[in-house]
Amino acid sequence: MEKINFSAKDLLCRSCMQIKMFFEKPELKPKPNLNQWKGVDYQHEIALTIKDIIGEEMGGCFEYDEVKIYFSNDIVTKDKIIEVKYVDEDRVVEEWYLNSCLLQCAVYKALTVECGNKLRTSLFHINNGNSAQNCIIDNDFEYLLYFGKDKYRIDVHNSKKIIEFIRTKAKHCLTWENARFFDNQYKRKEYDILKDCFTFNKI
């Protein structure tokens, strides 16, 4: 049976019903907006300042049953991964947005470890004209969030619960009935459910 591809970011940012809708009607999925393109440029500016960088947009694929979950880390070195978020200095950042970024880092760290710390350049980045890289990063790698001018270190203490939640959400996106059931129970509650699985410290 052909496996169904999921984006880890979609599983964190979208409801099951929305993900299911985009499976059915991919033409409805929003195109990248101006702020997202600014974020790409900002990420690359940061990458140019990182010592011993291996590459940008390096990730992996977590597979089980009929599901594949793809994730891509912004910046990778031998001993750390950096997720970069562009924050407009004139914008008041709401707590939910910072929380969602911290949760994304925790999930991506858990997925990286689950994939044996093996990372490769994401296909979309290669298709944009960048060279392909493969690496295995250190077991004790740091995961950092560059949130505008602020920096946070994220440590995961219960990757099993994180992985199980993401697996369960993906599976519930396969039918409308299950998608509706999951959303009724957990929509917009991902951070509250998983916040005890990781800690973060401003550095």
Side-chain angles (χ1 to χ4, degrees):
M1 183 176 67
E2 186 176 351
K3 295 197 175 188
I4 299 173
N5 297 337
F6 287 87
S7 154
K9 189 166 186 181
D10 278 354
L11 289 170
L12 289 169
C13 299
R14 302 187 189 281
S15 67
C16 288
M17 291 285 283
Q18 194 175 37
I19 293 170
K20 177 62 175 169
M21 181 183 70
F22 292 147
F23 277 150
E24 301 284 332
K25 298 182 178 181
E27 70 276 7
L28 295 180
K29 194 167 185 177
K31 304 298 181 187
N33 59 39
L34 181 59
N35 272 342
Q36 288 171 312
W37 286 118
K38 283 182 181 179
V40 171
D41 291 340
Y42 180 66
Q43 172 190 319
H44 189 58
E45 288 175 15
I46 296 294
L48 293 174
T49 71
I50 301 300
K51 184 179 179 182
D52 298 326
I53 184 173
I54 296 173
E56 295 181 70
E57 299 300 347
M58 299 187 70
C61 177
F62 173 62
E63 298 186 42
Y64 68 97
D65 297 339
E66 69 270 53
V67 168
K68 289 183 176 181
I69 299 175
Y70 287 90
F71 63 99
S72 186
N73 300 294
D74 286 348
I75 298 171
V76 174
T77 75
K78 184 68 175 163
D79 60 1
K80 66 175 174 284
I81 295 175
I82 302 170
E83 178 70 21
V84 179
K85 296 297 183 185
Y86 170 79
V87 177
D88 191 329
E89 292 183 4
D90 296 327
R91 171 187 170 188
V92 176
V93 178
E94 297 182 49
E95 184 179 11
W96 71 264
Y97 179 61
L98 173 58
N99 288 346
S100 71
C101 294
L102 292 165
L103 177 60
Q104 180 185 333
C105 291
V107 171
Y108 282 24
K109 181 166 189 178
L111 287 169
T112 297
V113 172
E114 192 72 18
C115 291
N117 292 3
K118 298 175 183 177
L119 299 173
R120 62 181 181 272
T121 305
S122 299
L123 183 59
F124 75 86
H125 197 57
I126 297 172
N127 289 341
N128 285 338
N130 300 283
S131 60
Q133 305 285 340
N134 291 277
C135 71
I136 301 176
I137 62 173
D138 294 347
N139 285 331
D140 57 349
F141 72 94
E142 287 188 308
Y143 207 110
L144 305 176
L145 170 64
Y146 285 23
F147 190 79
K149 293 183 177 179
D150 295 330
K151 297 178 183 179
Y152 297 86
R153 174 187 163 124
I154 293 87
D155 293 295
V156 174
H157 309 297
N158 189 348
S159 60
K160 182 177 179 180
K161 181 178 176 180
I162 290 174
I163 296 295
E164 185 59 32
F165 182 86
I166 295 301
R167 285 178 53 175
T168 301
K169 184 169 182 178
K171 284 208 160 190
H172 278 77
C173 295
L174 299 178
T175 68
W176 287 110
E177 183 180 1
N178 287 339
R180 189 175 296 107
F181 173 81
F182 191 94
D183 287 348
N184 286 340
Q185 299 291 319
Y186 304 115
K187 186 177 179 181
R188 298 193 183 95
K189 297 177 182 176
E190 289 86 353
Y191 181 82
D192 288 336
I193 292 167
L194 298 175
K195 65 183 180 182
D196 64 335
C197 298
F198 68 96
T199 54
F200 59 90
N201 294 287
K202 198 170 182 179
I203 58 176

